């Protein structure tokens, strides 16, 4: 009887792990989106994106009229300088207003930032 409970718990744990993994977008799914954002130099974000809070402390830093491309440039620079929090803020700002993509980015943050640094880092001074 005890082995059945252990087997059932192990199976439930495996199913839960698969469900969690199936709801996170793999880094490869972001590469096309990041590449498209890199090409988007339109300096006029829409609506709520103008007031997207990139970093709240020690001062409030808003996206303002920064293009998606420039958000990625700032993310790369901040990541290089060791400010991973601000880098992630700029990366999320580039994906504004897509909240689902922003949440998935947070789950994949190191891999996504590494991809940006490797792919576009050489182009950022």
């Amino acid at each position: 009887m005890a082995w059945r409970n252990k087997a059932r718990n192990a199976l439930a744990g495996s199913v839960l792990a698969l469900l969690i993994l199936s709801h996170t977008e793999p880094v490869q799914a972001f590469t096309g989106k990041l590449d498209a954002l890199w090409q988007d130099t339109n300096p006029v974000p829409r609506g709520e994106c103008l007031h997207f809070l990139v970093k709240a402390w020690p001062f409030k830093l808003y996206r303002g009229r920064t293009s998606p491309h420039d958000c990625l440039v700032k993310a790369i620079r901040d990541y290089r300088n060791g400010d991973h929090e601000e880098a992630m803020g700029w990366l999320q700002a580039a994906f504004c207003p897509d909240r689902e993509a922003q949440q998935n980015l947070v789950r994949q943050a190191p891999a996504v930032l590494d991809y940006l640094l490797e792919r576009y880092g050489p182009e950022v001074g």
Side-chain angles (χ1 to χ4, degrees):
M1 192 69 141
W3 66 271
R4 284 185 186 166
N5 288 338
K6 286 182 183 179
R8 189 177 317 146
N9 289 341
L11 180 61
S14 297
V15 169
L16 181 60
L18 287 173
L19 286 173
I20 290 170
L21 290 174
S22 69
H23 290 315
T24 59
E25 214 167 333
V27 176
Q28 294 80 11
F30 283 108
T31 58
K33 293 175 186 176
L34 290 167
D35 294 342
L37 290 173
W38 185 260
Q39 301 302 321
D40 188 359
T41 57
N42 180 8
V44 184
R46 292 176 274 197
E48 67 192 50
C49 294
L50 287 168
H51 304 288
F52 186 89
L53 185 62
V54 174
K55 191 170 181 179
W57 188 85
F59 54 89
K60 289 188 178 181
L61 178 60
Y62 293 97
R63 176 182 175 174
R65 298 176 65 80
T66 306
S67 71
H69 170 86
D70 289 340
C71 286
L72 296 181
V73 168
K74 290 178 181 194
I76 290 169
R77 285 186 182 142
D78 288 335
Y79 190 55
R80 272 191 194 144
N81 293 331
D83 191 344
H84 297 184
E85 179 186 358
E86 191 168 323
M88 196 60 216
W90 281 115
L91 186 57
Q92 287 180 296
F95 275 86
C96 185
D98 188 348
R99 290 190 186 272
E100 184 177 339
Q102 291 170 345
Q103 290 170 354
N104 287 333
L105 280 171
V106 170
R107 291 185 204 107
Q108 303 282 340
V112 172
L113 288 167
D114 286 341
Y115 169 79
L116 272 180
L117 190 61
E118 181 182 315
R119 176 79 168 96
Y120 298 112
E123 298 179 41
V124 176

